[in-house]
Amino acid sequence: ELYTVRDALKADLMGTVRGVAKMGYQVVEFYSPYYDWTPQQASDVKKLLDDLGVKALSTHNSATVFTPEGIQKAIDLNQAIGSKCIVMASAGGKVADAAGWKGVADKLNFAAEKLAPLGMTAGFHNHALEWKPVEGQRPMDILAKNTKKEVALQLDLGTCVEAGADPVAWINANPGRIKSLHCKEWSKAKGYELLFGEGEVPWAGVFKAAESTGGVEFYLIEQEAGPSDQQMARAEQCLANWKKMRS
């Protein structure tokens, strides 16, 4: 998840993508600033990805993209870079009740219907908010119940664990819908400053559930806290920790 190296990416997009590819990352996910690219910039990024042997399989987007006015530009840019999944990074604004979350589900279903003929799909990325009950229901449960099965439920592990939710139970309750995961670490003592594999996320159970039940297609490492001048170094160490764990 390129938000991990956001400051480096803002200063030098192409150089940063080259840098994470050199570390050994095989998949990257661009986040909301990509939506301001021109078609030529998207084409240049795709050429770079192809040259590096790296894929961009999804993007993170604001909720405004999931409207009749916003979706086509996202489609064009995602197709240009080879991305198949347009993910809503957050619901946007304050969603106060269950009806509001059903409205978010409607936006996701609209996008899914628009994308299906193109061989693409929509997705939703959770934060801690979506695990806190509203009118007796967790927003994530409302979204899962009221969206088409084709809508991917991109699981952010760090925020899930921070909220006290059980990520393994969530994966098993939604078979085939957890197409990608943000492998973000968290602990009560250090929050999000930890590197991958050094906190409280039950990774062994998560991987087992994701691969046996969830339908995971790819993993995205995300590390979002710490000194900005160390973002690239943290990304590299997270991948080293991943390789040790997954060997």
Side-chain angles (χ1 to χ4, degrees), residues 190-202:
K190 295 188 176 182
Y192 294 108
E193 293 183 11
L194 295 165
L195 301 179
F196 170 80
E198 298 178 358
E200 298 179 17
V201 177

Side-chain angles (χ1 to χ4, degrees), residues 45 55 58 94 96 131-132 136 166 169 182 187 231:
V45 168
K55 296 183 181 298
S58 58
K94 183 174 175 59
W131 302 106
K132 298 175 182 177
D166 181 342
H182 272 217
S187 79
Q231 288 174 359

Side-chain angles (χ1 to χ4, degrees), residues 6-20:
R6 54 198 173 276
D7 293 303
L9 194 74
K10 183 177 180 180
D12 181 2
L13 188 154
M14 301 300 223
T16 301
V17 173
R18 288 190 191 95
V20 297

Side-chain angles (χ1 to χ4, degrees), residues 105-183:
D106 290 342
K107 288 184 177 181
L108 292 164
N109 287 332
F110 157 76
E113 290 174 4
K114 183 82 171 178
L115 294 167
L118 305 174
M120 302 172 71
T121 189
F124 184 84
H125 175 91
N126 69 265
H127 291 88
L129 172 69
E130 286 83 22
W131 302 106
K132 298 175 182 177
V134 173
E135 298 178 355
Q137 301 178 77
R138 298 185 306 183
M140 284 305 297
D141 294 318
I142 296 173
L143 292 176
K145 181 179 179 180
N146 290 280
T147 51
K148 297 174 178 293
K149 68 180 188 304
E150 293 82 12
V151 174
L153 303 172
Q154 187 184 71
L155 178 58
D156 182 313
L157 276 306
T159 57
C160 177
V161 171
E162 179 193 22
D166 181 342
V168 175
W170 171 253
I171 295 168
N172 287 330
N174 294 280
R177 299 193 65 181
I178 317 298
K179 301 297 186 183
S180 64
L181 292 85
H182 272 217
C183 296

